[in-house]
Amino acid sequence: MKKKKCMMDHLKVECLLPIPSKLLIWYDHVARKLPWRIDHSSYRVWVSEVMLQQTRVEAVIPYFERFMSALPNLAALAHASEDQLLKLWEGLGYYSRVRNLQRAAKEVLRSGRKELPQDYQALLSLPGIGAYTAGAIASIAFGIQVPAVDGNVLRVLSRLFACGKDISLPAIKHMFEEAARSLVPAERPGDFNQAMMELGATVCLPHTAPHCDVCPISDYCRAHLNGNAEDYPYKAPKKPRVIEERTILLVIACGHVLLQRRPTKGLLAGMWEFPNYLGWFEDEEKQALLIGLGMGNAPMRPLGESKHIFTHREWKLRGTLVMATDCIEVEGAIWASGEDLNKKYALPSAYQYFSKQLPKLFDLSMEEKWAR
Ligand code: SF4
């Protein structure tokens, strides 16, 4: 295999010295006014950074505002119920992240503090806080001179240094973090880190030609000067995802839907969901599944198909509507109304195609139009 080149070792640090000031001048002109930038307390920076790890800025803003008004500080987060926490996170995915937020908040309170520690290593020791999040909180909220290297920044750095090494490898990420460390200025380290992120998010774009013509550091960018910025960053191809076919049962009775809780470990741990089973089943087999839930035969009809992609897995979901006679007690399950689903229980977005049909299906169940 051809060895991937990296110019990082050949660049002299003094060549890069103008980069922080160029970037900060640019950032002062273009920085978007975001809720977590206006008030950058450590709690707000922390929550926003965790939310931003998976979703675009525009999508995060309403989630962030809702989260802050419900849980405005670390103590409120530590004392929130699991259902409230999951409901506030509903739609963002990666629910382990919000659980880790709470675990970390509890740990901080247990240590006798009311706020996050003003120390990079102490931040790093908290659940769910890795090098990037610790760097972002330390530099933005506390003005500590440390880097914060997320996916956007990795892309900028790999182009800046024309480095074709695989950015998904931990050792290469670490190498880029060290390169970023040499760039972070003592003055305004948080703004510098945010400027790097902003550059990656708005100018040095992925999957398309970067806007090098408006880039404040184009004079120092090896990939741009070589004319092949699109070749970076390099990521080794991923292993194909595991594909699972699953049967979903939307069991409705008297304006309520049956929900079960997932196991406390693994994919979507502890989330509420519709009863679902590995494999696609025929009607007779589905009736047997209903008997397994303690129900008798009930009218059924297909509800369509959808798919959901996780990092390493793809679900192909085939839904069936089941009109049960009563909300009978089912072990380990609950019956949720539309209001419960709006205010109380969070459903994973994997089931969105089916949960969006619920209002119509609830009405149908109340009208009792189905032959019994
Ligand atoms: Fe990215 Fe182009 Fe700027 Fe280089 S010059 S950092 S490739 S936008």
Side-chain angles (χ1 to χ4, degrees):
M1 202 172 85
K2 205 170 144 192
K3 198 171 173 220
K4 299 281 172 188
K5 281 190 183 163
C6 180
M7 296 294 293
M8 203 177 288
D9 299 337
H10 306 288
L11 290 177
K12 294 196 170 72
V13 173
E14 47 279 20
C15 302
L16 306 174
L17 285 179
I19 288 179
S21 62
K22 296 262 179 203
L23 210 49
L24 284 167
I25 292 168
W26 170 81
Y27 183 66
D28 287 341
H29 279 93
V30 303
R32 290 169 290 177
K33 291 201 174 17
L34 302 171
W36 48 89
R37 285 184 180 161
I38 295 161
D39 167 358
H40 48 82
S41 67
S42 57
Y43 177 65
R44 290 170 67 87
V45 171
W46 178 34
V47 172
S48 68
E49 288 300 342
V50 175
M51 286 185 172
L52 286 164
Q53 278 166 27
Q54 208 52 44
T55 317
R56 289 171 304 110
V57 164
E58 299 74 27
V60 160
I61 292 172
Y63 280 101
F64 179 79
E65 304 278 26
R66 200 162 53 117
F67 198 96
M68 283 301 138
S69 69
L71 307 174
N73 51 48
L74 198 128
L77 168 61
H79 294 119
S81 73
E82 185 179 28
D83 280 330
Q84 185 186 17
L85 217 53
L86 298 178
K87 191 70 196 160
L88 288 166
W89 210 260
E90 188 179 26
L92 280 173
Y94 292 87
Y95 292 86
S96 59
R97 290 189 176 153
V98 71
R99 291 178 201 276
N100 277 335
L101 272 176
Q102 189 177 50
R103 282 176 58 213
K106 285 181 176 172
E107 207 167 303
V108 171
L109 292 190
R110 264 198 307 273
S111 71
R113 290 195 176 91
K114 289 189 177 147
E115 298 294 344
L116 289 169
Q118 296 191 24
D119 177 88
Y120 176 80
Q121 290 301 335
L123 286 167
L124 206 51
S125 71
L126 291 169
I129 297 192
Y132 165 72
T133 311
I137 299 167
S139 63
I140 300 169
F142 302 133
I144 299 171
Q145 188 182 11
V146 285
V149 178
D150 68 353
N152 281 330
V153 176
L154 268 180
R155 182 170 59 258
V156 173
L157 291 171
S158 73
R159 289 171 173 171
L160 186 64
F161 296 116
C163 183
K165 293 189 176 166
D166 183 356
I167 60 163
S168 55
L169 297 174
I172 303 303
K173 269 188 198 164
H174 182 69
M175 182 185 85
F176 277 119
E177 275 162 14
E178 289 312 304
R181 193 179 303 282
S182 67
L183 293 174
V184 181
E187 291 285 319
R188 303 179 62 192
D191 283 347
F192 172 80
N193 284 333
Q194 289 184 92
M196 287 287 277
M197 297 173 206
E198 193 87 351
L199 189 74
T202 62
V203 175
C204 195
L205 299 172
H207 312 307
T208 176
H211 303 314
C212 304
D213 51 331
V214 293
C215 176
I217 56 171
S218 58
D219 288 350
Y220 309 91
C221 176
R222 296 311 312 173
H224 170 61
L225 296 173
N226 295 342
N228 64 346
E230 292 95 327
D231 291 350
Y232 303 92
Y234 172 73
K235 264 192 211 174
K238 286 184 188 160
K239 279 192 212 152
R241 292 188 183 93
V242 175
I243 296 185
E244 277 182 12
E245 293 172 343
R246 302 193 75 85
T247 297
I248 311 286
L249 298 183
L250 262 77
V251 186
I252 310 263
C254 317
H256 288 67
V257 65
L258 189 68
L259 299 180
Q260 292 181 329
R261 203 152 210 171
R262 289 184 65 83
T264 50
K265 292 220 166 93
L267 188 69
L268 304 174
M271 299 287 298
W272 291 104
E273 64 176 1
F274 307 119
N276 69 92
Y277 306 88
L278 189 60
W280 282 347
F281 296 111
E282 299 301 324
D283 280 358
E284 266 181 21
E285 295 166 309
K286 287 180 217 164
Q287 293 290 4
L289 293 172
L290 287 176
I291 290 167
L293 288 171
M295 298 182 178
N297 280 358
M300 294 190 292
R301 77 157 198 233
L303 275 180
E305 291 178 13
S306 76
K307 77 171 177 185
H308 188 81
I309 295 174
F310 299 96
T311 312
H312 304 296
R313 194 174 296 259
E314 180 177 329
W315 276 0
K316 290 188 166 176
L317 306 174
R318 190 173 275 180
T320 298
L321 170 65
V322 179
M323 283 295 194
T325 319
D326 298 304
C327 295
I328 62 152
E329 200 171 316
V330 178
E331 199 186 331
I334 55 163
W335 290 93
S337 66
E339 193 176 346
D340 290 337
L341 290 169
N342 281 336
K343 298 193 176 150
K344 205 165 164 192
Y345 302 121
L347 287 176
S349 47
Y351 301 111
Q352 204 176 45
Y353 175 78
F354 302 104
S355 54
K356 276 188 172 168
Q357 301 184 47
L358 279 172
K360 206 171 61 197
L361 301 176
F362 283 150
D363 288 349
L364 191 63
S365 75
M366 297 307 278
E367 286 167 21
E368 299 199 9
K369 276 183 185 166
W370 283 52
R372 300 198 183 278

